[in-house]
Each structure stands twice: as structure tokens, then as C-alpha cells.
Amino acid sequence: MSSQYRAVRWLLAACSLMLLTVPVRAELPAEPTTGPETVVRLPTPYPQSWAMVHNFSFVALIDSSFGLVDTSTGHFKGIISAGQFATLQWSQKRQKFYVGETIHSRGNRGTREDLIAVYDFENLKLVKDIVIPTKRANSVVLKASTAITADDRFLIVYNFDGSMSLTVIDLDTESVVDEIPTAGCALAYPDTRGGIFQLCGDGKLAHLQLDSRGGLKKRTTSEMFNDIDTDPLSEKASLIGQTWYFTTYLGEVQPIDVSGKTPAIKRRWWLTDEAERKDNWRPAGWHGTAGDASGALYVAMTPNGYNGSHKDPALEVWVYDPSKARRIKTIKLETPGLSIGVANGNQADLLVLNVAGGLDVYDTRNGKLSRTLYDIGSAPMQVHAVGTAQ
Amino acid sequence: MKRGICWFLLVLTSGIAFADGPLKPEPLNQHTSLPDTWPDHWLLVHDLTWFKFLEGRMLVVDPLAADVAGQFKGSMSSSLNGAYERSLKRNEHYIAETFWSRGNRGGERTDTVTIYDRATLKYLDEIIIPPKRLSGMPKNISTAITPDERFLLIYNFTPSQSVSVVDLESRRFVGEADIGGCGFVIATGQRSFFSLCSNGTVRVVHLDDTGRVQGTQTSPQFFDADEDPLFETAALSPGKAVFPTFQGRIVEIDTRREMPRIMKPWWLTTSQERGWRPGGARPAVADASGLLYVLMQPDGAEGTHKNGGSEVWVVDQKTSKRLSRIVLKNWGIALGATGKGENRLLVVTNGDLGLDIYRIPEGAFVQTLAVAAEAPLLTLPVN
Amino acid sequence: MNVMEKVTRRIARQSSRRGFLGKLGGLLVGAAAIPLLPVARASSAGPASRVPAQSTGNPMDPGDPTTCEYWRYCGIDGYICSCCGGSQNQCPPGTEMSPMTWVGTCRNPADGKNYVISYNDCCGKSGCGRCLCNRNEDDKPVYRPPANNDINWCMAGSNVYNCSTAVILGLAEA
């Protein structure tokens, strides 16, 4: 054997030996099935693109849910399970969700219990069950059924069991502190000073100032301004800045300014011009109003409106500068929409729950559909933007 | 929606005068009811509702009616994979249910046997039982009822295995029988039941007339749960429980006496046919005349036992001979049978979760039901 | 033919029809086809998968854990937690990993080894409803509980079922 050959053989042997003794990472490590690493925790505050989708679950009312999604990636982040006719409120300051729900002891029969279930943002875990009087309004997805006062002190729950009242919950102690009878008046819209106003069956609004313990301090009513028989205000309003914007069924905007001590009913203006009114363009959708951080008002609209079209799907979203009562943009929807919301960030994204059960995300700069999120429940009917600009 | 109807009714009853038209005002609070005796061919459909477990339901269906309105007769709640039994002599349905105090987010668990009136489907009563019953896919042997309809037996898995005994006459939970290592309940004799054990035996429990455990026995080993396990669904007929195995044997167990008699297993397939295997969520069922139907898939292998099958093989249990092969119109995943005499029907839950109806024993396809269910994996005869 | 794929497509059609679509009485102006549930097949070409694709980030742990074909899911039965806010080995926020479960053995195509996979359920919230997947390799009947995937293992705590994970316990014995 030549010395060269012997050297090569030696080299080969040495290399083989080295390879055998160098530890090679050959397998995947064992993973825990107990302990905190087994559960995902969420970044808080939530990124501005995150939203909660309310699955009303029409085919199984007692098994509803709120799905947390990232509208910029389409990823599903987690859920809050809820009972029937649930409501959602949240506090950015406290980083908590407040879920109103009705549960029966035997599922779809039995003893009724009404609750506000409190969840934390980071873990989506139940923090507390607040038991409330069994009279909370069971309405099909209605944002104004509950409200949090502007000072973040109280959660207000509208009750309807034949008679109307409000349950007041102190969010510091997470307990019920009062029940205020509100005969003839419904729902709760916060002002800027810790009170709320309601819409009444006689066409007026009622303003309730609360004291520091959540009791009624003072109640005032407006003059009649809402002609419910002819052209009622839709309950599905949005607060933009310090003004609530309501639309009427036929297409007027009714601003209600809450910057002062009592709500001021401002002059109305039409969403449509005469030609559009001839084509019966009207507000539509399940929840058809939204606002963005720049102050723009978004209204879901449908042509060929008629008596009863106020909850029909919308074909377009019209965008306004409400301070000038002027339309600035029209966004045509690729799929008719049921409810709209806006995720505010560097730019506003228009979120549209569509009739095929998807969540469409539109770039409001150019009106183009950026993406659609699917499988967000059997009946997604409301979208809430729960992120904050970072 | 509901509020609108409420206001309408308030207006109707408020005494406002209406002009006399061709239609007269109608009384409120009417509801339909079902006949006291139900036709033999009607069907109970257990909907597991796997996208909404809380809202499980039992549907009462006429599988020969032409449309949804004719087919759908009524329903009962079957919360969280409820299990169904009935008493014909008391005219009662029994559904073992599970509830959570906080609904779909848990809380405190309560298990009940809910009692419904047979004809009106009205809720009658509930019997609270230990909150332990098996939570899983529906199996027809999760519960059993003694032949005299006195005691209801419920298989528990927590993971401790036991059987709850409920006295249906006094409507009381009587006690629990420990069956560690074994699962499910099949009634045998008058006051006994047996369970399938993972070591290839059956455990037999004898009850006295108050429903308390009198004694237990274990059979010799007769199957190998690793090599060729018994499916945990049985084709039940009076005096007999028949189990197919994953590979295609048939195990018959005589249930006429307090001690069940296990017959020698035999192959459903010839040695050339061994690629054919039983499959599905419920691969075997017996009809009212005692014929056995087995759902069979070609090219069965390890892991395919839940896939279902493309044919149903009809077997004469007296001779253990295959009589015919029904080629299914649609792939099937579970079998059920209802009806008697000339009106026997095979119910096949198909791959789209529709219900296909065939006349048996000939296997003539009748229709796919218009009644929709989310997960109808278990269908039962009404009588 | 994979039964679960047919099953989920049928359910999707039914759910859409009976849900609010039915309520609207057919006002589907130019609406897309009835949506399918995302039983995303590995070979799905064409329009984007209905659930965004994911990766574990580890080439030794290959595949997309939102799909039924991911190697760890050889015996899974239920909703895939990766589609529900969790991951292949983590529960979604607010749920708890069930302490009891059944185990299977799956082969990792990256290294050719067999791993023992624990299919721990995540409990405490209602069913996720996304990415339903059922594979039955080595599944045994319910009376052999540690090897059965039909059991709702969330019954260990007082909780309801949300989704299923696939946690590596270790290498299977040779």
C-alpha cells in the first residue's frame, strides 16, 4: 500500500471517528403538556388591526361567541364563548372585555341567569362573573344595548322584560350598584361626561346624569325630534369625536352633539342628493355606521330601498366629512355587506361582514379589497375594532 | 323578529275592533301533537351537532314522507351528546344529557336523564345522575334498558369506568357498578349487563330487583384488542348482540340469559375477500326480522375503520351466510334500521351526512331525506 | 375518498343555508359560491387557502400545522388548535390543556423517526369550528381509552371542548 493511500485511509478513519463522536441534534425535543407554556398569551394592548367578530350563532343561539382576529394577516387569535343574545363592551384602560349574556340551567330550558362575564385581554380568560338581574334585553346583535360611560366608571345594561330600565355596574368593584327605571326609553349612548342618553318611544331623547355611585343624579328630556312613524332614527349609531351620528331609515343624518352638559340635537342633512333619492338609495345593513380617527363617517347604503329595507345587505359604503355634511368617497363592495367597522391605524381599514359569512377588509385609500377572513362563525353579525394605534 | 311577534299578539288581544273579513281571528297557544302510537317505519335521528355540541337534538322523522314538512315530526333536546332509550309501556323517551352551569364555557356539570312524553314530546321530569357519563362520539351501547323497561343503565367514563343504574319506575338513581377496565353496556337476561374489556373479555354484572349489584363475572378472553378489536357498536336484536371486528370477523353474543354466551367468531369475508372490511361510525345493524347488515369498504387497512363503506352485506344470522350485497348509491358512514315486516328500511348516513333510505332486504333506494342534520351518526327505530 | 373532507363541505353548505343567508331570503347579488370549511389540502392550488398557511419555523418539523396532512396529526380528531389562536402544541388563549388524553405515534418525514404524539384537548371555551380533521391511524375502540380519539377528553376538568393539539412526548420505542 502506498504511503499516500495509507494517509487517505487514515484521514478517512479520523473523519469517521470525529463524525461519530460529535453530537448531532437528531430529533425533536419533548414538549410540555402542563404549565404556562401550554397556552398562548396575547400581546397587549392589541395591535390596531385586531377586531372582535360577534358570531350570533342563529342556528344554536345558546352557543354564541366572539372571535378575535388580526385583520391584517387573517389569523384567528382566540374566542370568547357566550350564551344567548350576547353583548360586548371593553375598556382599553382596564384591558378587559365585558360580555353580557343570558344562560339557562338546562341549555335551552331551565332557570335563567344573566351575567356580565369579565375577561382580560392578555389571556382571554374569565376574570369574574357578575350576576345581574335577569332582565337584560335579549336583542339580535345591538351595540347600544350596553355602554360604558366616558369616564370608564360604569357599565350600563339596558333591560327589557316588558318594562324598561338600566342596570348600572361599577367597573372598579365589578359589582351591580343600581337599577334605574327608564319607562318609555331604551338603550344607552354615552355622553362625554359620564352620563348617557336614551331614545324614547315618544320621539324624544332622555339624558341621564349619574352620580359618583352610579345612581341617577338628574334626568332631562328633549323636545320631540324623532318621527318614528314616518322616518325613524336607526339605533345603529356611531360616536365620532364628541358627536353621535344617527341615520334615519330614509337617509338623513341626525347628529347629536354630546360635548356639552346635555345632548344637543343638531340640524339634519341628507346622505343622498335628489337623484339618488329617486333611486331610493338608503342606509342599510345590520350595523351600517362607523367612524375613523380622522373624523370621517361611513354609512352602508343600498339602492332600491323600500319600506323594510333598513336591514337589507348594503352594496356600497359612502364616506363623509360630517363637519361639512359632504361625501368624500364611495366604496363599492365586492360582496354585499351586513355590518361595518373601521380599524384605525396609520390608515383606516374598512371592515365589512359580508352576506357569505366572511370579513372583507378594504383599503380606504383606494377602496380596494385587501383580503377576506373566513370561518369566523356561522352568523357573524358585528365587528368591533379592539386594537389601538401603537 | 320575536319582539315584532310579541307586539302583534299584544295588539291582537288588546281588544281593538277589527272589521269582519273572510278570515276569522284564531286562538293563541295552539300546538300540534303526534299520535299516541307511531308508525313502525318512523325514525329517531340523533344529531350530535358537532359544530354546536350544546344544541344536540333527537329528531322524530317519517323517512317515507315526500318533503321536509312531511318528514320532520318533532324534536327533543339532547344536550352534549345525549343518549337515547325509551319505554314503550310507559310511553316515555329517556335522554341522558349533560349540562354546564355556564353553558358553552363550562362551570359546574350536571348530568340528567330527561324524560319526555312519547306523543306530545313534552318535558315531563328529570332524574339527576352522577355527572360522569361518557362524553364522546355517540354509540348505541352507551346506554341500555332492561327488557322489562325497569332499569336504565348509563356507561360512565371520568376516566374511571362505571355504570349508573336508574330505576325508571321510581325515577331515581339507584347506584353505580364499577367496571374498571371495561366500557359500554349491553343488557343480558332480565337483570344483568355486560361491558367490553380492553383485555379481550367481557365483564358481566348481575343486579338484584332493586338495581343493586349482586355479583360480577368475567368471561374468558375471546378477542384481541390489539390485533383485531371488536367495534364498540353492536347490532342489537332480542336475545342477541352482534359485533363486527376491525378485520371482518363477526362475534355473536347470546343475551337471553343472565350470563351471556359468546359464540365462536366467524369470518364475514372469504380468504380472497379479506381486503373488504367493516367500517364507519356504526358498521352493523339488525332489522326487525333478524337479518344482519354490515357496512363494508374495499381495501380496508389499519386506520380505515371509521371511513365507512360502499356496500352493505346482508347476512342471515341463523346460517351465518351472506345473502346479498347492496351496492350503496352514496358512500355510507353509519347504518340504522327501522320498520317491520314488508316495510323494513335501512337508513344510511352518507358521506355528505345526508340520510339515504333503502327498502330491505332487497336494498332498493327510496330517497335521501330532505330533513337536514349536522351529524346524524346514530339513527334508531321508534318501536 | 376522505370522508372528513366530504363531511365538512356538506356541513359548510348546510350552515350557510340555514344561517343568516337563509334569513335574508336569497339577496345574494353577485355573492361568491357557498364557502367551504378550510380542510386545506397540502396540494391546494388556485385561490388562497381559507386559513392563512403557517409554518413551525423549524425545518426539522416540516409542513403546515393548519392542514390535516401535517405529520403530527396522524391520529387527530377535532379542530386544529393552529387554526384557533393556538399552535400545534399550545392552546388558544383562555383555554386549558386537558391533563388526560389519548396518544398516537406518527412518523416525522424530516428525520424518518416515529414520535409519540399526545393529542391534548384545549378546554373551557366552545368549539373553535375551524379546520376539522379526523385521522385514525392506530386508533382503537373506546373501551381501550388511551388509544381512542372519540372521547371528549375535556371531561377531565369541568369544561367544554375547543380544539386539539399534537404535543411531542418523545421518540417512540424502536
mmCIF file with all atom_site columns, all heavy atoms in Angstrom, chain B residues 126-139:
data_model
loop_
_atom_site.group_PDB
_atom_site.id
_atom_site.type_symbol
_atom_site.label_atom_id
_atom_site.label_alt_id
_atom_site.label_comp_id
_atom_site.label_asym_id
_atom_site.label_entity_id
_atom_site.label_seq_id
_atom_site.pdbx_PDB_ins_code
_atom_site.Cartn_x
_atom_site.Cartn_y
_atom_site.Cartn_z
_atom_site.occupancy
_atom_site.B_iso_or_equiv
_atom_site.pdbx_formal_charge
_atom_site.auth_seq_id
_atom_site.auth_comp_id
_atom_site.auth_asym_id
_atom_site.auth_atom_id
_atom_site.pdbx_PDB_model_num
ATOM 1   N N   . GLU B 1 126 ? -86.974 15.093 35.229 1.00 0.00 ? 126 GLU B N   1
ATOM 2   C CA  . GLU B 1 126 ? -85.577 14.734 35.056 1.00 0.00 ? 126 GLU B CA  1
ATOM 3   C C   . GLU B 1 126 ? -85.095 13.981 36.287 1.00 0.00 ? 126 GLU B C   1
ATOM 4   O O   . GLU B 1 126 ? -85.587 14.201 37.398 1.00 0.00 ? 126 GLU B O   1
ATOM 5   C CB  . GLU B 1 126 ? -84.702 15.969 34.814 1.00 0.00 ? 126 GLU B CB  1
ATOM 6   C CG  . GLU B 1 126 ? -84.539 16.871 36.012 1.00 0.00 ? 126 GLU B CG  1
ATOM 7   C CD  . GLU B 1 126 ? -83.631 18.063 35.748 1.00 0.00 ? 126 GLU B CD  1
ATOM 8   O OE1 . GLU B 1 126 ? -83.318 18.358 34.582 1.00 0.00 ? 126 GLU B OE1 1
ATOM 9   O OE2 . GLU B 1 126 ? -83.233 18.698 36.736 1.00 0.00 ? 126 GLU B OE2 1
ATOM 10  N N   . ILE B 1 127 ? -84.160 13.076 36.074 1.00 0.00 ? 127 ILE B N   1
ATOM 11  C CA  . ILE B 1 127 ? -83.542 12.321 37.156 1.00 0.00 ? 127 ILE B CA  1
ATOM 12  C C   . ILE B 1 127 ? -82.068 12.718 37.158 1.00 0.00 ? 127 ILE B C   1
ATOM 13  O O   . ILE B 1 127 ? -81.377 12.538 36.153 1.00 0.00 ? 127 ILE B O   1
ATOM 14  C CB  . ILE B 1 127 ? -83.657 10.795 36.921 1.00 0.00 ? 127 ILE B CB  1
ATOM 15  C CG1 . ILE B 1 127 ? -85.109 10.392 36.634 1.00 0.00 ? 127 ILE B CG1 1
ATOM 16  C CG2 . ILE B 1 127 ? -83.090 10.025 38.095 1.00 0.00 ? 127 ILE B CG2 1
ATOM 17  C CD1 . ILE B 1 127 ? -85.244 8.990  36.052 1.00 0.00 ? 127 ILE B CD1 1
ATOM 18  N N   . ILE B 1 128 ? -81.604 13.275 38.269 1.00 0.00 ? 128 ILE B N   1
ATOM 19  C CA  . ILE B 1 128 ? -80.197 13.670 38.346 1.00 0.00 ? 128 ILE B CA  1
ATOM 20  C C   . ILE B 1 128 ? -79.345 12.419 38.542 1.00 0.00 ? 128 ILE B C   1
ATOM 21  O O   . ILE B 1 128 ? -79.641 11.585 39.410 1.00 0.00 ? 128 ILE B O   1
ATOM 22  C CB  . ILE B 1 128 ? -79.950 14.645 39.514 1.00 0.00 ? 128 ILE B CB  1
ATOM 23  C CG1 . ILE B 1 128 ? -80.909 15.830 39.443 1.00 0.00 ? 128 ILE B CG1 1
ATOM 24  C CG2 . ILE B 1 128 ? -78.512 15.118 39.513 1.00 0.00 ? 128 ILE B CG2 1
ATOM 25  C CD1 . ILE B 1 128 ? -80.600 16.822 38.361 1.00 0.00 ? 128 ILE B CD1 1
ATOM 26  N N   . ILE B 1 129 ? -78.318 12.273 37.747 1.00 0.00 ? 129 ILE B N   1
ATOM 27  C CA  . ILE B 1 129 ? -77.407 11.124 37.853 1.00 0.00 ? 129 ILE B CA  1
ATOM 28  C C   . ILE B 1 129 ? -75.990 11.665 38.069 1.00 0.00 ? 129 ILE B C   1
ATOM 29  O O   . ILE B 1 129 ? -75.754 12.853 37.874 1.00 0.00 ? 129 ILE B O   1
ATOM 30  C CB  . ILE B 1 129 ? -77.462 10.250 36.579 1.00 0.00 ? 129 ILE B CB  1
ATOM 31  C CG1 . ILE B 1 129 ? -77.181 11.092 35.328 1.00 0.00 ? 129 ILE B CG1 1
ATOM 32  C CG2 . ILE B 1 129 ? -78.817 9.561  36.465 1.00 0.00 ? 129 ILE B CG2 1
ATOM 33  C CD1 . ILE B 1 129 ? -77.124 10.279 34.044 1.00 0.00 ? 129 ILE B CD1 1
ATOM 34  N N   . PRO B 1 130 ? -75.067 10.819 38.508 1.00 0.00 ? 130 PRO B N   1
ATOM 35  C CA  . PRO B 1 130 ? -73.694 11.314 38.709 1.00 0.00 ? 130 PRO B CA  1
ATOM 36  C C   . PRO B 1 130 ? -73.175 11.955 37.430 1.00 0.00 ? 130 PRO B C   1
ATOM 37  O O   . PRO B 1 130 ? -73.375 11.410 36.336 1.00 0.00 ? 130 PRO B O   1
ATOM 38  C CB  . PRO B 1 130 ? -72.913 10.037 39.055 1.00 0.00 ? 130 PRO B CB  1
ATOM 39  C CG  . PRO B 1 130 ? -73.928 9.102  39.589 1.00 0.00 ? 130 PRO B CG  1
ATOM 40  C CD  . PRO B 1 130 ? -75.206 9.402  38.879 1.00 0.00 ? 130 PRO B CD  1
ATOM 41  N N   . PRO B 1 131 ? -72.486 13.096 37.539 1.00 0.00 ? 131 PRO B N   1
ATOM 42  C CA  . PRO B 1 131 ? -72.036 13.807 36.332 1.00 0.00 ? 131 PRO B CA  1
ATOM 43  C C   . PRO B 1 131 ? -70.822 13.130 35.713 1.00 0.00 ? 131 PRO B C   1
ATOM 44  O O   . PRO B 1 131 ? -69.732 13.693 35.643 1.00 0.00 ? 131 PRO B O   1
ATOM 45  C CB  . PRO B 1 131 ? -71.705 15.200 36.858 1.00 0.00 ? 131 PRO B CB  1
ATOM 46  C CG  . PRO B 1 131 ? -71.291 14.976 38.271 1.00 0.00 ? 131 PRO B CG  1
ATOM 47  C CD  . PRO B 1 131 ? -72.103 13.816 38.771 1.00 0.00 ? 131 PRO B CD  1
ATOM 48  N N   . LYS B 1 132 ? -71.017 11.904 35.254 1.00 0.00 ? 132 LYS B N   1
ATOM 49  C CA  . LYS B 1 132 ? -69.867 11.107 34.849 1.00 0.00 ? 132 LYS B CA  1
ATOM 50  C C   . LYS B 1 132 ? -70.037 10.427 33.510 1.00 0.00 ? 132 LYS B C   1
ATOM 51  O O   . LYS B 1 132 ? -69.141 9.705  33.084 1.00 0.00 ? 132 LYS B O   1
ATOM 52  C CB  . LYS B 1 132 ? -69.639 9.968  35.868 1.00 0.00 ? 132 LYS B CB  1
ATOM 53  C CG  . LYS B 1 132 ? -69.398 10.398 37.270 1.00 0.00 ? 132 LYS B CG  1
ATOM 54  C CD  . LYS B 1 132 ? -69.239 9.144  38.129 1.00 0.00 ? 132 LYS B CD  1
ATOM 55  C CE  . LYS B 1 132 ? -68.815 9.489  39.520 1.00 0.00 ? 132 LYS B CE  1
ATOM 56  N NZ  . LYS B 1 132 ? -68.461 8.273  40.267 1.00 0.00 ? 132 LYS B NZ  1
ATOM 57  N N   . ARG B 1 133 ? -71.177 10.597 32.845 1.00 0.00 ? 133 ARG B N   1
ATOM 58  C CA  . ARG B 1 133 ? -71.391 9.746  31.688 1.00 0.00 ? 133 ARG B CA  1
ATOM 59  C C   . ARG B 1 133 ? -70.380 10.047 30.589 1.00 0.00 ? 133 ARG B C   1
ATOM 60  O O   . ARG B 1 133 ? -69.836 11.150 30.498 1.00 0.00 ? 133 ARG B O   1
ATOM 61  C CB  . ARG B 1 133 ? -72.828 9.861  31.153 1.00 0.00 ? 133 ARG B CB  1
ATOM 62  C CG  . ARG B 1 133 ? -73.281 11.232 30.873 1.00 0.00 ? 133 ARG B CG  1
ATOM 63  C CD  . ARG B 1 133 ? -74.702 11.236 30.342 1.00 0.00 ? 133 ARG B CD  1
ATOM 64  N NE  . ARG B 1 133 ? -74.811 12.325 29.388 1.00 0.00 ? 133 ARG B NE  1
ATOM 65  C CZ  . ARG B 1 133 ? -74.687 12.205 28.087 1.00 0.00 ? 133 ARG B CZ  1
ATOM 66  N NH1 . ARG B 1 133 ? -74.577 11.013 27.534 1.00 0.00 ? 133 ARG B NH1 1
ATOM 67  N NH2 . ARG B 1 133 ? -74.713 13.254 27.316 1.00 0.00 ? 133 ARG B NH2 1
ATOM 68  N N   . LEU B 1 134 ? -70.125 9.045  29.758 1.00 0.00 ? 134 LEU B N   1
ATOM 69  C CA  . LEU B 1 134 ? -69.129 9.161  28.714 1.00 0.00 ? 134 LEU B CA  1
ATOM 70  C C   . LEU B 1 134 ? -69.418 10.362 27.827 1.00 0.00 ? 134 LEU B C   1
ATOM 71  O O   . LEU B 1 134 ? -70.547 10.555 27.376 1.00 0.00 ? 134 LEU B O   1
ATOM 72  C CB  . LEU B 1 134 ? -69.124 7.897  27.850 1.00 0.00 ? 134 LEU B CB  1
ATOM 73  C CG  . LEU B 1 134 ? -68.296 7.975  26.552 1.00 0.00 ? 134 LEU B CG  1
ATOM 74  C CD1 . LEU B 1 134 ? -66.802 8.005  26.859 1.00 0.00 ? 134 LEU B CD1 1
ATOM 75  C CD2 . LEU B 1 134 ? -68.621 6.797  25.649 1.00 0.00 ? 134 LEU B CD2 1
ATOM 76  N N   . SER B 1 135 ? -68.405 11.180 27.609 1.00 0.00 ? 135 SER B N   1
ATOM 77  C CA  . SER B 1 135 ? -68.520 12.299 26.689 1.00 0.00 ? 135 SER B CA  1
ATOM 78  C C   . SER B 1 135 ? -67.698 11.941 25.466 1.00 0.00 ? 135 SER B C   1
ATOM 79  O O   . SER B 1 135 ? -66.475 11.889 25.520 1.00 0.00 ? 135 SER B O   1
ATOM 80  C CB  . SER B 1 135 ? -67.973 13.555 27.372 1.00 0.00 ? 135 SER B CB  1
ATOM 81  O OG  . SER B 1 135 ? -68.091 14.666 26.535 1.00 0.00 ? 135 SER B OG  1
ATOM 82  N N   . GLY B 1 136 ? -68.358 11.661 24.359 1.00 0.00 ? 136 GLY B N   1
ATOM 83  C CA  . GLY B 1 136 ? -67.617 11.248 23.177 1.00 0.00 ? 136 GLY B CA  1
ATOM 84  C C   . GLY B 1 136 ? -68.583 11.020 22.037 1.00 0.00 ? 136 GLY B C   1
ATOM 85  O O   . GLY B 1 136 ? -69.721 11.454 22.079 1.00 0.00 ? 136 GLY B O   1
ATOM 86  N N   . MET B 1 137 ? -68.137 10.341 21.016 1.00 0.00 ? 137 MET B N   1
ATOM 87  C CA  . MET B 1 137 ? -68.985 10.091 19.851 1.00 0.00 ? 137 MET B CA  1
ATOM 88  C C   . MET B 1 137 ? -70.156 9.195  20.264 1.00 0.00 ? 137 MET B C   1
ATOM 89  O O   . MET B 1 137 ? -70.017 8.332  21.122 1.00 0.00 ? 137 MET B O   1
ATOM 90  C CB  . MET B 1 137 ? -68.174 9.403  18.749 1.00 0.00 ? 137 MET B CB  1
ATOM 91  C CG  . MET B 1 137 ? -67.071 10.281 18.194 1.00 0.00 ? 137 MET B CG  1
ATOM 92  S SD  . MET B 1 137 ? -67.728 11.625 17.212 1.00 0.00 ? 137 MET B SD  1
ATOM 93  C CE  . MET B 1 137 ? -67.984 10.774 15.663 1.00 0.00 ? 137 MET B CE  1
ATOM 94  N N   . PRO B 1 138 ? -71.315 9.400  19.645 1.00 0.00 ? 138 PRO B N   1
ATOM 95  C CA  . PRO B 1 138 ? -72.483 8.631  20.065 1.00 0.00 ? 138 PRO B CA  1
ATOM 96  C C   . PRO B 1 138 ? -72.356 7.158  19.700 1.00 0.00 ? 138 PRO B C   1
ATOM 97  O O   . PRO B 1 138 ? -71.982 6.812  18.579 1.00 0.00 ? 138 PRO B O   1
ATOM 98  C CB  . PRO B 1 138 ? -73.627 9.284  19.270 1.00 0.00 ? 138 PRO B CB  1
ATOM 99  C CG  . PRO B 1 138 ? -72.979 9.941  18.116 1.00 0.00 ? 138 PRO B CG  1
ATOM 100 C CD  . PRO B 1 138 ? -71.604 10.330 18.540 1.00 0.00 ? 138 PRO B CD  1
ATOM 101 N N   . LYS B 1 139 ? -72.629 6.293  20.649 1.00 0.00 ? 139 LYS B N   1
ATOM 102 C CA  . LYS B 1 139 ? -72.634 4.849  20.418 1.00 0.00 ? 139 LYS B CA  1
ATOM 103 C C   . LYS B 1 139 ? -73.939 4.302  20.965 1.00 0.00 ? 139 LYS B C   1
ATOM 104 O O   . LYS B 1 139 ? -74.378 4.717  22.048 1.00 0.00 ? 139 LYS B O   1
ATOM 105 C CB  . LYS B 1 139 ? -71.472 4.174  21.166 1.00 0.00 ? 139 LYS B CB  1
ATOM 106 C CG  . LYS B 1 139 ? -70.104 4.779  20.903 1.00 0.00 ? 139 LYS B CG  1
ATOM 107 C CD  . LYS B 1 139 ? -69.555 4.354  19.575 1.00 0.00 ? 139 LYS B CD  1
ATOM 108 C CE  . LYS B 1 139 ? -68.191 5.009  19.335 1.00 0.00 ? 139 LYS B CE  1
ATOM 109 N NZ  . LYS B 1 139 ? -67.769 4.914  17.945 1.00 0.00 ? 139 LYS B NZ  1
#
